[in-house]
Amino acid sequence: MSARRNDSHHEDMETGADRQTDRLDFAAHLNSESLHPADIADHLEHLSPEKRVSAVNSMSKEDAAETIAELEENIAAEVLENLDIDKAAEIIAEMDRDDAADVLDELDDEHRDVLLEKLTQEDSEELRHLLRFDPDSAAGVMNSELILLDQNMTIDEAITHIRREMEEEKESPYYGYVVDSHDILIGVLSLRDLMLARPGVKVGAIAAGQNVVSVTFDTEKGEVANLLSHYNYLAMPVVDYEGHILGVVTYDDIMDIIHEEASADMLGMVGADPEESCDTPWLESVRKRLPWLVVNLLNSAFSASVVYMFEGTIAQMAVLAVLMPMVANQAGNTGQQALAVMIRQLSRDIFDQKKAWLAVLREARIGLVTGLVMAVLSFLGSWWFTGNYMVGVVMGGAILCDMFLGAVAGGSIPLVFRYLGRDPAQASSIFLTTITDGAGFFIFLGLASFFLF
Amino acid sequence: MSARRNDSHHEDMETGADRQTDRLDFAAHLNSESLHPADIADHLEHLSPEKRVSAVNSMSKEDAAETIAELEENIAAEVLENLDIDKAAEIIAEMDRDDAADVLDELDDEHRDVLLEKLTQEDSEELRHLLRFDPDSAAGVMNSELILLDQNMTIDEAITHIRREMEEEKESPYYGYVVDSHDILIGVLSLRDLMLARPGVKVGAIAAGQNVVSVTFDTEKGEVANLLSHYNYLAMPVVDYEGHILGVVTYDDIMDIIHEEASADMLGMVGADPEESCDTPWLESVRKRLPWLVVNLLNSAFSASVVYMFEGTIAQMAVLAVLMPMVANQAGNTGQQALAVMIRQLSRDIFDQKKAWLAVLREARIGLVTGLVMAVLSFLGSWWFTGNYMVGVVMGGAILCDMFLGAVAGGSIPLVFRYLGRDPAQASSIFLTTITDGAGFFIFLGLASFFLF
């Protein structure tokens, strides 16, 4: 086992050998200091809804708040809905506001309003404020609790201020945000900067030379993630159009976003919902996937109509129907490889048009060379199989052309989608297959009817 | 524009409107404080190799070190190889050791040895030590510069010690690591813990109650990333089998790993190299992709052999060849949706067998219901198209069966691969298509020869 904890109980659980015993042990540990909230949350997710609620009920409000923040949002919402309303409100009040807002967002409107009524006016206003933002924007994932440093504070005053805030705040601050008298963000100081600066200097003086990187509240959260990861920052301040500071997006939220965004591409590519997981209710998955399956059916009907044009050719020589799907399949696979590389590129880097089209050229080259190799192999294979070398020529020629086309299409589709303002990944594989199938059938059957009859 | 910087030069660049002017301006800014090393690195990547080298040559060794750490590793290696050897050694000495080791790993052996000879004995030994580890393990991405706190230090001594280390070290420390007299890791203290603790207390006393989470040096880097993101830690200590601390993996490396791993699944699924990007030399991509394309060819030859069994049936009724690819295509798409959801699940969570098979059951349900809908649509469509309602029945029946099978196969393949000790994603789409194609052709043509003749 590679993850170590100096805690024998935890190691028992990790082996997973005797989960039943773990569950029994587990109840005794719920209120103890020995389990990390993320681990408690993992365990709760394995329990029945009733047991989850009673487990949360038995926790202190502080433990419950930390645990609920670590639960999958839909499960967290379900737990809150089934708790006593006063207990639920206590827990919400204890949570970091960004986490609380995420969970409240999952509740139905009525339940959410009742809960918000139970909070202090300050908490409830702040949460309503956060709930108004698009959950996929910087403001939707930001935390509004942050440490502001007035530009006229000295370093010593700032350190005292931060120390006092640290005792009160629930989330660790990584930076102090220097603002002018209108709360306009003018600088960011790390704890390190503060510890190394001379005590009497004003924070505004240190901030003066800085280039503050910030994002506006409506920035797409994936872009915030790319920027934070680009600059290796722990946190990114969020501002309005005038530069007033609103909150901060921290690296822990970003790690989740990076993970989601990258696998969202994989799901989107094949026409699943980018946010779908095994925890998505299955009927919701049916509803989300069906439209793309219908698109796929229409697209494949188009490819089928290409085959229909050559029905007479096939009737004369049925072996063509045997070889035909191989052409389409091979080109489809080549295209998907190009597609995956291009989608990765687009999701990762700041867009660069020249680099993107050079990447298509690169795929075209790869398609040409791999196409030549596969063409020779399939020429030999189908010559041997049919005993007719002209069938081999038709097969090889079709594989070469369609694989080249597949590589170019796979590289270009995400760029075209992006140009059209669409998500470069969404259903790209479905459109790719339409091209490689349609063109593959046409080229193969076209060459066949020209050369073989 | 959503990313803001209080720096008009940077904003000019972001618009990308006049890149030529940017490049001219850029030279003047290389040594200034106004550009983040990550941005300088981005710009260098757009220059020719010669210009890159001369740009790095004009920088101070500190700026050069930070910039080279941000470059793509292959580009960084190329720059170092073309710099004057003494300048290159100076820069390497200035870099964080984990970054330096990553770049040295890309150099050819001879060049690396010459460079290491130029360093101080301590630097060179430390780097040789890091270079011996598997680059995909925790030790391969860890930094060996960390702040150790002897368990007998008081809080006050620890703070003074950290402050002194901060002034020297290049990378910001997030935690102090408490060790006993044998360098065995016994606790982790955050800066916050230190600032809030009473000055006279011994750090060992605070560490005593902790469950320290650490990883062994041979832990796969993706697993380190999952753990760090699970616990929302800033850094994860790396230990040997006896618990001696070796180094620390920090969140900035983890963000890159999470991104790589998640998109690696997408690439692996279609048989591209999981680490491939647009910057991979194209002939290397050809070499890496060809084996899977050959596997795909063999697999599709298998599907073709199924069609061949029914050559006589197709010769009698060529319209079957028109409809046949639609069945396979539809089931393939359904299967890929299931596949993507399952791969995401496996890469994200700590594995749970029961949950995994429940997820397959979920996919089976989705496959059944979407299959029914698509079966009705394709029954109607092919009845209308052929005027023969029995063709519609055959088409609908085949779509239903093959989509159900595709969903189950898509959900199961990653689990089977995992059970066999393989990467759950690698080439999974290729094997899925073999099943959905082969079964689809067999079911469709089998039903056709039974019901239509």
Side-chain angles (χ1 to χ4, degrees):
Chain A
M1 203 181 66
S2 46
R4 294 170 52 103
R5 269 186 93 155
N6 292 354
D7 170 18
S8 62
H9 175 70
H10 181 83
E11 296 210 351
D12 283 350
M13 293 189 303
E14 285 277 311
T15 64
D18 191 353
R19 290 214 163 246
Q20 196 51 44
T21 328
D22 285 341
R23 302 263 159 79
L24 297 175
D25 284 1
F26 173 59
H29 280 78
L30 276 182
N31 287 304
S32 85
E33 288 289 295
S34 67
L35 273 182
H36 190 284
D39 291 324
I40 301 181
D42 261 12
H43 280 77
L44 287 186
E45 285 172 8
H46 287 102
L47 298 178
S48 67
E50 298 74 35
K51 286 191 182 155
R52 263 179 223 145
V53 171
S54 72
V56 172
N57 251 325
S58 73
M59 295 181 200
S60 70
K61 65 180 180 190
E62 292 82 7
D63 286 348
E66 286 190 42
T67 303
I68 283 178
E70 297 283 349
L71 284 173
E72 297 281 335
E73 282 163 20
N74 54 342
I75 296 182
E78 194 196 274
V79 170
L80 282 182
E81 280 171 2
N82 291 298
L83 280 175
D84 173 67
I85 189 86
D86 290 309
K87 173 89 180 182
E90 266 182 19
I91 295 173
I92 287 286
E94 194 67 29
M95 285 170 75
D96 288 337
R97 281 189 188 132
D98 56 340
D99 296 329
D102 289 344
V103 176
L104 288 172
D105 210 34
E106 294 283 315
L107 294 179
D108 59 73
D109 291 359
E110 202 187 337
H111 211 99
R112 180 167 57 221
D113 285 336
V114 176
L115 261 177
L116 286 169
E117 288 303 314
K118 294 269 175 188
L119 301 176
T120 64
Q121 200 186 345
E122 191 202 339
D123 280 346
S124 127
E125 270 176 18
E126 190 60 51
L127 283 169
R128 282 183 204 279
H129 180 66
L130 285 178
L131 283 165
R132 271 196 294 272
F133 292 116
D134 173 1
D136 290 332
S137 71
V141 290
M142 77 183 179
N143 198 327
S144 51
E145 289 164 312
L146 70 175
I147 297 185
L148 297 184
L149 304 174
D150 185 279
Q151 60 179 341
N152 296 316
M153 278 181 179
T154 63
I155 290 294
D156 260 359
E157 286 166 351
I159 289 179
T160 313
H161 178 68
I162 288 180
R163 205 161 165 154
R164 202 177 321 116
E165 293 271 340
M166 268 184 166
E167 278 162 26
E168 273 178 32
E169 301 282 334
K170 289 151 262 172
E171 196 152 357
S172 290
Y174 307 111
Y175 302 107
Y177 296 92
V178 184
V179 291
D180 69 10
S181 54
H182 300 97
D183 271 358
I184 300 260
L185 177 68
I186 57 172
V188 181
L189 297 182
S190 66
L191 293 185
R192 177 195 163 101
D193 293 333
L194 288 167
M195 282 179 88
L196 298 183
R198 275 181 301 122
V201 179
K202 295 224 160 129
V203 295
I206 300 183
Q210 286 187 331
N211 300 312
V212 186
V213 180
S214 61
V215 293
T216 51
F217 66 96
D218 53 358
T219 307
E220 205 275 316
K221 68 180 180 182
E223 202 184 325
V224 182
N226 282 346
L227 282 168
L228 202 93
S229 135
H230 176 73
Y231 290 116
N232 285 340
Y233 289 159
L234 283 170
M236 180 70 81
V238 180
V239 297
D240 64 16
Y241 292 130
E242 286 78 42
H244 299 99
I245 188 154
L246 301 174
V248 62
V249 182
T250 51
Y251 80 100
D252 52 324
D253 300 315
I254 292 298
M255 288 200 289
D256 292 338
I257 294 169
I258 291 178
H259 209 116
E260 268 170 34
E261 298 269 318
S263 57
D265 287 336
M266 179 172 65
L267 289 157
M269 188 168 95
V270 295
D273 186 67
E275 299 193 359
E276 184 171 340
S277 79
C278 295
D279 301 312
T280 310
W282 71 278
L283 274 172
E284 193 183 319
S285 293
V286 168
R287 198 171 50 74
K288 294 262 178 77
R289 292 187 196 177
L290 261 182
W292 289 119
L293 288 168
V294 172
V295 170
N296 192 50
L297 189 73
L298 294 175
N299 285 359
S300 70
F302 165 77
S303 313
S305 73
V306 172
V307 181
Y308 184 58
M309 288 162 52
F310 296 95
E311 199 184 358
T313 313
I314 294 173
Q316 282 179 268
M317 198 175 181
V319 74
L320 295 178
V322 176
L323 298 176
M324 176 184 83
M326 290 181 71
V327 176
N329 189 338
Q330 203 62 23
N333 188 218
T334 303
Q336 284 186 320
Q337 294 177 340
L339 194 61
V341 171
M342 189 58 95
I343 290 174
R344 160 185 263 189
Q345 192 70 22
L346 289 183
S347 73
R348 182 82 201 249
D349 280 1
I350 295 154
F351 184 70
D352 176 344
Q353 188 143 7
K354 190 177 153 213
K355 191 171 177 188
W357 287 107
L358 281 175
V360 175
L361 189 66
R362 178 182 169 276
E363 292 300 337
R365 274 193 199 145
I366 296 173
L368 196 63
V369 174
T370 54
L372 273 170
V373 176
M374 303 319 288
V376 171
L377 288 179
S378 50
F379 161 71
L380 294 173
S382 44
W383 180 11
W384 167 80
F385 173 66
T386 61
N388 179 345
Y389 88 96
M390 275 313 288
V391 172
V393 169
V394 167
M395 183 70 179
I399 288 251
L400 175 60
C401 296
D402 202 25
M403 279 180 69
F404 177 72
L405 184 71
V408 174
S412 318
I413 286 175
L415 295 177
V416 173
F417 279 12
R418 191 182 178 282
Y419 178 77
L420 298 174
R422 286 189 40 169
D423 173 353
Q426 188 68 42
S428 51
S429 177
I430 290 173
F431 288 97
L432 172 72
T433 314
T434 308
I435 295 175
T436 50
D437 279 9
F441 297 154
F442 183 80
I443 296 168
F444 177 71
L445 296 171
L447 288 176
S449 55
F450 191 81
F451 285 108
L452 298 177
F453 298 100
Chain B
M1 202 183 67
S2 46
R4 295 170 52 103
R5 270 188 90 156
N6 292 353
D7 170 19
S8 63
H9 175 70
H10 181 82
E11 297 209 350
D12 282 351
M13 292 191 302
E14 286 278 309
T15 64
D18 191 353
R19 291 216 161 243
Q20 197 50 49
T21 328
D22 284 340
R23 301 265 159 79
L24 297 175
D25 283 1
F26 174 59
H29 280 77
L30 276 182
N31 287 305
S32 84
E33 287 290 294
S34 67
L35 271 182
H36 189 283
D39 291 326
I40 301 181
D42 262 11
H43 280 78
L44 286 186
E45 284 172 7
H46 287 102
L47 298 178
S48 67
E50 299 73 37
K51 284 190 184 157
R52 265 178 221 145
V53 171
S54 72
V56 172
N57 250 325
S58 73
M59 294 182 200
S60 70
K61 65 180 179 188
E62 292 82 8
D63 286 348
E66 286 190 41
T67 303
I68 283 178
E70 297 283 349
L71 285 172
E72 297 280 336
E73 282 163 21
N74 55 342
I75 295 181
E78 194 196 273
V79 170
L80 281 182
E81 279 171 2
N82 291 301
L83 279 175
D84 173 66
I85 189 87
D86 290 308
K87 174 90 180 181
E90 265 181 20
I91 294 172
I92 287 285
E94 194 67 29
M95 286 171 75
D96 288 337
R97 282 192 188 131
D98 57 339
D99 296 330
D102 288 345
V103 177
L104 287 172
D105 209 34
E106 295 282 315
L107 294 179
D108 59 74
D109 291 358
E110 201 186 338
H111 211 99
R112 180 166 58 219
D113 286 336
V114 176
L115 260 177
L116 286 169
E117 288 302 316
K118 294 268 175 191
L119 300 177
T120 65
Q121 201 187 344
E122 190 202 340
D123 280 347
S124 124
E125 271 174 18
E126 190 60 51
L127 282 169
R128 281 183 205 278
H129 180 66
L130 286 179
L131 282 165
R132 271 196 295 271
F133 293 115
D134 173 3
D136 290 331
S137 70
V141 290
M142 76 182 180
N143 198 327
S144 51
E145 290 165 312
L146 69 176
I147 296 185
L148 296 184
L149 304 175
D150 185 279
Q151 60 179 340
N152 296 315
M153 278 182 179
T154 62
I155 291 292
D156 259 0
E157 286 165 353
I159 289 178
T160 313
H161 178 67
I162 288 180
R163 202 160 167 156
R164 202 176 324 118
E165 292 272 338
M166 269 183 165
E167 277 163 25
E168 274 178 29
E169 302 282 333
K170 291 149 257 172
E171 195 151 355
S172 290
Y174 308 113
Y175 302 107
Y177 295 92
V178 183
V179 290
D180 68 11
S181 54
H182 299 97
D183 271 1
I184 302 260
L185 177 67
I186 57 171
V188 181
L189 297 182
S190 67
L191 294 184
R192 175 194 164 102
D193 292 334
L194 288 166
M195 283 178 90
L196 297 183
R198 275 181 302 121
V201 179
K202 294 224 160 129
V203 294
I206 300 182
Q210 286 188 331
N211 300 313
V212 186
V213 180
S214 61
V215 292
T216 51
F217 66 97
D218 53 358
T219 308
E220 205 273 316
K221 68 180 179 182
E223 204 184 324
V224 182
N226 282 347
L227 283 167
L228 203 94
S229 135
H230 177 73
Y231 290 115
N232 284 341
Y233 289 159
L234 281 170
M236 179 70 82
V238 180
V239 296
D240 64 16
Y241 291 130
E242 286 78 42
H244 298 99
I245 189 156
L246 300 174
V248 63
V249 182
T250 50
Y251 81 100
D252 52 325
D253 301 314
I254 293 296
M255 288 200 288
D256 292 337
I257 294 169
I258 292 178
H259 209 118
E260 270 171 33
E261 297 269 320
S263 57
D265 286 336
M266 178 172 66
L267 290 157
M269 188 168 97
V270 296
D273 186 67
E275 299 193 358
E276 185 170 340
S277 78
C278 294
D279 300 313
T280 309
W282 71 278
L283 274 173
E284 194 184 318
S285 293
V286 168
R287 198 171 51 74
K288 294 262 177 79
R289 292 186 196 177
L290 260 183
W292 289 119
L293 288 169
V294 172
V295 169
N296 193 50
L297 190 71
L298 294 175
N299 285 0
S300 70
F302 164 78
S303 313
S305 73
V306 172
V307 180
Y308 183 58
M309 287 163 52
F310 297 93
E311 199 184 358
T313 313
I314 295 173
Q316 281 178 270
M317 198 174 180
V319 75
L320 296 178
V322 176
L323 298 176
M324 176 183 84
M326 290 181 72
V327 176
N329 190 339
Q330 202 63 20
N333 189 218
T334 303
Q336 284 186 321
Q337 294 177 339
L339 195 62
V341 170
M342 189 58 94
I343 290 173
R344 160 186 264 190
Q345 193 70 20
L346 289 183
S347 73
R348 184 82 201 248
D349 280 2
I350 295 155
F351 184 70
D352 177 343
Q353 189 143 5
K354 190 178 154 212
K355 190 169 179 189
W357 287 107
L358 281 175
V360 175
L361 188 67
R362 177 180 169 277
E363 291 301 337
R365 274 193 199 145
I366 297 173
L368 196 64
V369 173
T370 53
L372 273 169
V373 176
M374 303 318 289
V376 170
L377 289 179
S378 48
F379 161 73
L380 293 173
S382 42
W383 180 12
W384 167 80
F385 174 65
T386 62
N388 179 345
Y389 88 96
M390 275 313 288
V391 172
V393 170
V394 167
M395 183 70 180
I399 288 252
L400 173 61
C401 296
D402 203 26
M403 278 179 70
F404 178 71
L405 184 72
V408 174
S412 317
I413 287 174
L415 295 177
V416 173
F417 280 11
R418 191 183 178 283
Y419 178 77
L420 297 174
R422 286 188 42 169
D423 174 353
Q426 187 68 43
S428 51
S429 177
I430 290 174
F431 288 96
L432 171 73
T433 315
T434 308
I435 294 175
T436 49
D437 280 8
F441 297 154
F442 183 80
I443 297 167
F444 177 71
L445 296 172
L447 289 176
S449 53
F450 190 82
F451 285 107
L452 299 177
F453 299 99

